[in-house]
Amino acid sequence: MFPRLLSELASDVPGVLFCYRVSADGTFHYYPFISSRVREVFGLDPRKLQTDASAVFDIIHPDDRAGIVPSISVSAATLEPWQYQARLRLKDGTYHWFEAHSMPRREADGSTLWYGQFTDIQAHKELEADLRQREAESAYQLQFHKLLASLSSDFINAPIGDFDQEIDRFLARIGEFFDVDRVYIYRFSEELTRMTNTHEWCRPGVPALKDSQQNVDITGFRWWQEQSRNLLQHNRVVFIEDVSKLPDSAGPERALLEEQGVAAMFCIPVVTRGLVDGFFGMDSLQVRRWRRDLSDLLILVANLLAQALERFRLEQELLNQSIRDPLTGIHNRRYLEPRIAEMLARYQRSGEGFALAMLDIDHFKQVNDTHGHQAGDQVLRAFARLLQNQCRASDVAARYGGEEFILALADVTPERATWALERVIDEVRELALSFHGKVIPVTASAGLVHVSDLENPSPTPDELITEADRRLYRAKRSGRNCLVDASGASPL
């Protein structure tokens, strides 16, 4: 009566009640009692388990088996409660997580007997996994927004001269965060027939493509041109999940991407001033699983990049307005004076010589009085273009005021500086200018000073400009259309 009553009571208890015995020498094990639910849940015959417990161990998930026997041995040796979690195969072939709780007792024959219960904890495990996933997602989103905030701060605080380096750092941090192999920025030509890689980051060991992606003709890539139009006209993300599965119409694109080792890629439009003028992209050299919301995250990244590019453009415009003469487009005094100071610093540090010339357009007032101020503006612009064209990258041409200009020649000897200025004045005389059909003859006078001309070994920019101005005055007194340097007037 009591065994039947126990069995009936056990069948109504959630989970599986059991008594499990291991012989003293550990050679055999069985269940003296196990509730009938073991048949309902696992499809095992409880009568067979009363002679051999192996069938229960056979339904343990392979990944969870390694620790179970050692844990039973420890419990048998210490008579501490045995607790274990594992996935067990159900009657329908699926696996559920179960947790076993039992108390050991040593029997007179030296065997160990455990009284306990298997409890289905699948719902708890799923909830736990869901919570972990939510926590991981929250942590990911938090890290992503921290990254955006940090990148935004870096762009705001970056000096204009460091903007390209800041873009490179931006691409590197994005590439590392999303764990991709290559991140880049392309700009389209206005007619959408060419594109240029302006910035690129590559994971160590991944070949760079930037040098080969300059002014690339894309007219032969019709499928890509259509994607580019989607970028431009509809502000759509282009996602190629597997390059090898591109349609036949994208044959040339597939061949090129496979040659570059690209397996998957994202391209996100970059919109500035309301127009898409390029895209921000990421490459993976392996086909991989992507986050379903990755497009949304990358759009946020592209928006941040677009804001930075627009801010840089505006700052560049403001800077140009502050350091360039609005009429002629060449630099002004605000830009010139620090550059002279830099040349002086190099001269004092390494002895690198330089020269300063002040030039004046001869009889400029007569041009204004005779032909009008529009004609005078035309002469100023033409003279400025000529000076700019005569400059090397290291030289500086600037409008100093009115019809006076300064040309700063870096890393030159006195002789080379004189030759350069003679050529400038000769070129000015050859200017063929006319206004409303009337020819406007143009000549110029110049005062040239080389830094080595001055007795002061550490002259100031003002001293150099003052000396160049004195020599310009002497050139005018000498009849104009000439150059005065340390040796005197050189009529041309």
Side-chain angles (χ1 to χ4, degrees):
M1 176 179 177
F2 286 107
R4 180 191 292 178
L5 180 60
L6 177 62
S7 179
E8 290 178 358
L9 288 171
S11 66
D12 292 331
V13 174
V16 179
L17 295 179
F18 64 86
C19 291
Y20 172 67
R21 173 172 269 170
V22 176
S23 63
D25 59 4
T27 57
F28 66 92
H29 60 157
Y30 62 97
Y31 286 93
F33 170 80
I34 190 164
S35 66
S36 60
R37 283 183 59 80
V38 76
R39 186 193 304 276
E40 300 169 20
V41 178
F42 303 114
L44 301 178
D45 186 346
R47 290 175 297 178
K48 290 183 179 181
L49 295 175
Q50 289 174 358
T51 58
D52 185 2
S54 298
V56 172
F57 287 77
D58 290 341
I59 65 171
I60 299 173
H61 193 284
D63 293 343
D64 301 334
R65 289 176 184 169
I68 190 166
V69 172
S71 70
I72 293 172
S73 299
V74 170
S75 178
T78 62
L79 295 182
E80 292 291 328
W82 179 66
Q83 180 179 341
Y84 198 79
Q85 292 183 357
R87 284 163 291 179
L88 303 182
R89 189 174 64 247
L90 304 183
K91 190 176 181 178
D92 64 3
T94 62
Y95 282 90
H96 267 207
W97 279 98
F98 280 80
E99 185 171 51
H101 285 274
S102 62
M103 294 295 296
R105 188 181 74 187
R106 188 82 70 223
E107 299 296 288
D109 62 358
S111 64
T112 307
L113 184 67
W114 285 267
Y115 300 89
Q117 179 180 11
F118 294 123
T119 304
D120 189 330
I121 59 170
Q122 181 67 22
H124 173 75
K125 282 289 187 179
E126 289 176 354
L127 178 60
E128 191 178 73
D130 183 61
L131 288 173
R132 281 199 301 268
Q133 184 177 353
R134 288 173 183 269
E135 288 174 358
E137 178 62 20
S138 295
Y140 184 91
Q141 292 287 347
L142 179 61
Q143 288 301 111
F144 175 71
H145 287 288
K146 281 184 176 179
L147 174 66
L148 288 187
S150 174
L151 292 171
S152 178
S153 175
D154 289 346
F155 277 133
I156 290 171
N157 295 318
I160 291 180
D162 292 343
F163 188 75
D164 283 330
Q165 293 89 333
E166 200 59 52
I167 290 288
D168 291 338
R169 286 190 286 269
F170 167 88
L171 296 183
R173 293 181 67 184
I174 292 297
E176 290 164 359
F177 183 85
F178 289 109
D179 192 27
V180 293
D181 298 300
R182 191 182 290 119
V183 188
Y184 43 80
I185 299 172
Y186 276 81
R187 289 289 183 89
F188 288 121
S189 63
E190 289 185 8
E191 64 279 6
L192 196 60
T193 58
R194 295 182 175 274
M195 64 183 193
T196 293
N197 183 326
T198 61
H199 298 82
E200 180 185 66
W201 169 85
C202 297
R203 183 185 297 282
V206 174
L209 302 178
K210 182 180 177 183
D211 290 345
S212 65
Q213 297 294 297
Q214 300 300 303
N215 200 29
V216 178
D217 185 350
I218 59 174
T219 54
F221 299 106
R222 298 189 180 278
W223 181 86
W224 176 248
Q225 278 198 300
E226 181 60 31
Q227 308 311 306
S228 300
R229 289 191 187 94
N230 284 333
L231 280 169
L232 286 165
Q233 297 171 8
H234 307 294
N235 198 18
R236 290 180 183 169
V237 172
V238 176
F239 173 37
I240 303 175
E241 189 171 6
D242 187 344
V243 166
S244 67
K245 295 180 180 178
L246 281 172
D248 292 339
S249 59
E253 289 86 348
R254 181 173 61 245
L256 177 62
L257 291 171
E258 288 177 343
E259 180 185 337
Q260 295 172 346
V262 178
M265 65 187 293
F266 269 91
C267 296
I268 305 91
V270 175
V271 182
T272 57
R273 289 167 290 172
L275 299 172
V276 176
D277 60 1
F279 62 90
F280 153 74
M282 301 194 316
D283 289 348
S284 173
L285 303 191
Q286 294 180 338
V287 176
R288 54 183 280 184
R289 293 183 63 184
W290 302 89
R291 290 175 57 95
R292 284 185 294 179
D293 65 344
L294 186 57
S295 292
D296 296 332
L297 299 181
L298 292 178
I299 287 172
L300 293 176
V301 172
N303 288 342
L304 173 61
L305 177 62
Q307 291 168 11
L309 290 171
E310 178 65 7
R311 173 179 166 270
F312 174 71
R313 183 187 68 80
L314 291 173
E315 288 183 346
Q316 199 72 11
E317 285 183 3
L318 290 172
L319 176 63
N320 281 334
Q321 289 172 11
S322 69
I323 63 174
R324 288 191 180 275
D325 175 55
L327 175 64
T328 63
I330 66 170
H331 288 113
N332 57 20
R333 292 174 65 171
R334 183 174 182 177
Y335 179 85
L336 171 70
E337 290 168 357
R339 303 294 82 76
I340 297 174
E342 289 170 6
M343 292 180 183
L344 275 170
R346 287 197 297 273
Y347 172 68
Q348 291 162 3
R349 185 171 59 250
S350 63
E352 180 182 296
F354 70 95
L356 208 65
M358 182 168 282
L359 300 100
D360 183 88
I361 299 173
D362 295 332
H363 306 295
F364 181 72
K365 186 176 182 301
Q366 291 181 16
V367 173
N368 281 334
D369 292 344
T370 303
H371 303 283
H373 287 283
Q374 289 185 344
D377 290 348
Q378 180 179 317
V379 170
L380 289 171
R381 285 192 289 265
F383 187 79
R385 279 196 303 274
L386 185 150
L387 289 184
Q388 195 68 57
N389 292 337
Q390 296 295 321
C391 278
R392 301 166 298 170
S394 56
D395 299 335
V396 180
R399 186 180 179 191
Y400 197 67
E403 67 271 26
E404 289 186 333
F405 294 77
I406 285 184
L407 187 59
L409 304 173
D411 193 18
V412 291
T413 62
E415 295 76 19
R416 181 73 181 178
T418 297
W419 175 84
L421 261 295
E422 288 174 345
R423 187 179 64 179
V424 167
I425 292 177
D426 187 56
E427 292 282 340
V428 171
R429 191 189 306 112
E430 297 299 320
L431 279 175
L433 297 179
S434 63
F435 186 75
H436 291 171
K438 296 181 179 179
V439 175
I440 304 175
V442 182
T443 61
S445 303
L448 174 66
V449 58
H450 192 272
V451 65
S452 62
D453 294 345
L454 303 183
E455 295 181 2
N456 183 357
S458 302
T460 65
D462 284 345
E463 288 175 317
L464 284 163
I465 292 172
T466 298
E467 182 58 29
D469 192 37
R470 287 197 192 101
R471 295 181 182 184
L472 170 61
Y473 179 74
R474 287 167 54 194
K476 291 179 179 180
R477 292 288 299 271
S478 299
R480 294 184 171 83
N481 190 23
C482 68
L483 164 70
V484 171
D485 59 12
S487 63
S490 302
L492 300 173

